[in-house]
Amino acid sequence: MTDIPKGYATSPTINVIVPTGALGAGVRDADVRAGLAMGGHVIACDAGSTDSGPAYLATGRPKYSRAAVKADLAILMQAQHDSGLPLLIGSCGTSGCDMALDWTAQIASEIAAERGLSPQIALLYSEQDAAVLDQKASQGKVGALAPMNGVPPAFADCDHIVALMGSEPYIAALEAGANIVLGGRTTDTAVIAAVPLMRGMGAGAAWHAGKIAECGGLCTRNSRDGGVIVRVGSDVFEVEPLSATNTCDPYTVSAHMLYENADPFRLAEPGGVLDVTAACYEATNARTVRVTGSVFERQPYTMKLEGASAGAFQTIMFVGIRDPKVVAEIDALIERMHGLMCQRVADTMGLALDAFSISLRPYGWSAVSGQPPADAPPPPEVGLMFVATAATQDVATQVAKTCNPIFFHMPLRMDQEMPSYAFPFSPAEIERGPVYEFRLNHVVAPDDPLELVRMRFLKDGRILA
């Protein structure tokens, strides 16, 4: 069992250093060292998310570069070695699927070898087998979340499926002797709450602290100025920035309950719901906020399931338009252009209209909102993106090539001279590859919190069975 170093055993709080919101987004050694000097008992952070869409889960590839992840992890592993504090990292490799966790483990092994470190590294795998989940579903242990209420889970359609772990697997890994735990897909809060819960701190305070600190410094005044330390007690926690030049206040701390959460007062976690309806946020000084009144309501244990896969394929093109007459009537141009393109593809390629789709997106006008701004003057220029979607990459590209002369040279009116819109690339068409889709928004009820998790230890670059 990994012990908190001497001198901290009698502390009324467990102090968690959260140096970043995501491994690979940037960790500063000075912030980690400040956290150690401030009495940290554990270092914890997240390394993944679904924020950037389904591609990372469907492919198993990480969002951040290997160099960026290695730079951050090297700082954290060295700090762990120097201090003896446990280091917990959740949702490794962005998606937390098995190959993403193995990718992170390989980097950790490389760092250990280069620096002469000998950590006890536990790996927590949470990728799921479709057949096991089908069996769970047949037992009535899988349910859908909104907006997929009533939709049966399509496990076989997923390239990868992960179950979001709670704090229990991390506690089990520490109890098994690990001093570094690299986890597969995990709730953002669980890695921060794990050691406080393990050491008997209040569940309400632990889970609420985990939520507030999940993104590092995002709960501070200057969200780019380092991470935070949270001091978790039996019914209270405090938040303080690691950087001496940063501050936080009741507004910045309480506002983080709105982050990625439809309900600012309640947050579902494995085994219960965090309720902060009665929480009180109080500034104890210019840098620190004290929070009381958090409650954790125990409920039947469930784990959220995420699944993703590749679908159709896309090819894109892009032009810039500055002609003031065209820009002034960009909506009319796009409407006519889209109709001509669809008809040309159908006539030339012999495709049914439901065998492909064409999207025209005017950036600088209405591409983001989908609605032209009311009573707004025309912009000086518009970037028009063309997106062809089809069942195969070749068909999507052929659709783009077929539409090329219309896209680059269509006048506002057919009796006008032929324009040439500005194209930034040659060749004009860019094969974007597959369109990735989330396939699941469900929960599974395991028989116990460790049932769907596999623990392995990493030694000398090898994963032990």
Side-chain angles (χ1 to χ4, degrees):
M1 177 176 177
T2 297
D3 289 320
I4 290 176
K6 291 181 179 180
Y8 297 137
T10 59
S11 173
T13 62
I14 294 298
N15 308 330
V16 186
I17 302 168
V18 188
T20 183
L23 188 74
V27 171
R28 299 187 307 207
D29 183 67
D31 291 335
V32 180
R33 301 294 164 178
L36 298 177
M38 294 161 76
H41 298 145
V42 55
I43 306 167
C45 70
D46 186 41
S49 176
T50 56
D51 290 2
S52 299
Y56 304 102
L57 177 55
T59 64
R61 296 194 298 264
K63 174 181 177 179
Y64 295 121
S65 72
R66 192 181 194 278
V69 170
K70 184 177 180 181
D72 286 0
L73 188 54
I75 292 172
L76 298 181
M77 289 179 63
Q78 189 66 55
Q80 187 285 317
H81 171 81
D82 295 344
S83 67
L85 302 185
L87 169 62
L88 312 182
I89 301 175
S91 297
C92 287
T94 307
S95 67
C97 71
D98 287 1
M99 63 186 291
L101 177 56
D102 287 342
W103 178 81
T104 307
Q106 183 184 50
I107 296 174
S109 294
E110 191 175 289
I111 293 168
E114 291 171 353
R115 295 184 173 230
L117 310 179
S118 300
Q120 298 295 312
I121 302 178
L123 307 177
L124 301 175
Y125 292 91
S126 64
E127 185 162 348
Q128 304 301 309
D129 183 88
V132 172
L133 294 177
D134 278 329
Q135 184 177 20
K136 286 285 187 185
S138 69
Q139 297 168 349
K141 295 183 178 181
V142 174
L145 300 172
M148 299 186 73
N149 293 336
V151 178
F155 299 129
D157 293 340
C158 298
D159 293 332
H160 295 280
I161 304 169
V162 290
L164 275 69
M165 291 183 283
S167 59
E168 293 86 356
Y170 290 86
I171 293 172
L174 294 174
E175 290 176 339
N179 49 31
I180 295 179
V181 185
L182 303 179
R185 189 70 170 113
T186 309
T187 72
D188 297 351
T189 49
V191 288
I192 300 169
V195 172
L197 291 172
M198 178 183 181
R199 295 292 168 171
M201 299 299 107
W207 285 108
H208 195 181
K211 173 59 183 173
I212 298 303
E214 64 181 354
C215 294
L218 199 59
C219 62
T220 68
R221 275 290 173 192
N222 185 350
S223 62
R224 298 296 181 185
D225 188 11
V228 296
I229 186 169
V230 287
R231 303 180 182 92
V232 184
S234 59
D235 58 1
V236 62
F237 71 93
E238 291 183 346
V239 187
E240 183 178 354
L242 295 173
S243 170
T245 61
N246 200 359
T247 63
C248 64
D249 57 40
Y251 173 82
T252 64
V253 171
S254 62
H256 198 75
M257 278 301 299
L258 284 166
Y259 184 77
E260 296 179 335
N261 194 28
D263 188 332
F265 300 109
R266 294 177 66 82
L267 178 69
E269 293 287 347
V273 174
L274 171 66
D275 187 336
V276 303
T277 305
C280 178
Y281 303 82
E282 177 187 6
T284 61
N285 56 46
R287 287 173 38 84
T288 307
V289 172
R290 184 173 186 264
V291 184
T292 57
S294 315
V295 176
F296 191 74
E297 301 173 355
R298 299 288 177 183
Q299 294 188 0
Y301 202 95
T302 59
M303 302 171 73
K304 185 174 182 288
L305 297 173
E306 295 170 349
S309 67
F313 291 80
Q314 290 181 333
T315 298
I316 65 175
M317 300 187 291
F318 194 86
V319 294
I321 303 175
R322 282 191 60 88
D323 185 323
K325 294 180 180 179
V326 175
V327 170
E329 298 187 53
I330 191 68
D331 293 324
L333 175 78
I334 289 173
E335 183 179 359
R336 289 195 291 270
M337 180 182 284
H338 187 270
L340 286 173
M341 286 177 168
C342 290
Q343 192 60 55
R344 177 169 169 78
V345 170
D347 293 344
T348 305
M349 298 180 62
L351 293 179
L353 292 177
D354 62 357
F356 67 97
S357 70
I358 294 172
S359 173
L360 297 171
R361 307 173 187 179
Y363 283 89
W365 182 243
S366 62
V368 176
S369 68
Q371 297 293 326
D375 302 322
E381 63 182 37
V382 166
L384 186 58
M385 179 183 288
F386 167 101
V387 183
T389 305
T392 69
Q393 187 69 73
D394 181 64
V395 171
T397 299
Q398 292 304 312
V399 169
K401 287 175 174 287
T402 300
C403 295
N404 180 295
I406 299 175
F407 188 57
F408 286 91
H409 303 293
M410 180 180 163
L412 188 59
R413 293 177 180 81
M414 291 308 178
D415 59 355
Q416 295 175 337
E417 294 179 356
M418 184 181 73
S420 287
Y421 302 127
F423 56 96
F425 309 113
S426 179
E429 65 281 349
I430 302 168
E431 295 187 340
R432 208 187 68 77
V435 179
Y436 298 102
E437 300 176 81
F438 286 118
R439 299 286 187 177
L440 298 175
N441 194 36
H442 295 71
V443 292
V444 60
D447 293 339
D448 67 72
L450 302 182
E451 179 195 5
L452 300 179
V453 180
R454 305 177 316 280
M455 185 192 305
R456 300 289 185 270
F457 274 82
L458 182 65
K459 186 174 179 62
D460 299 326
R462 295 183 299 109
I463 299 174
L464 305 179

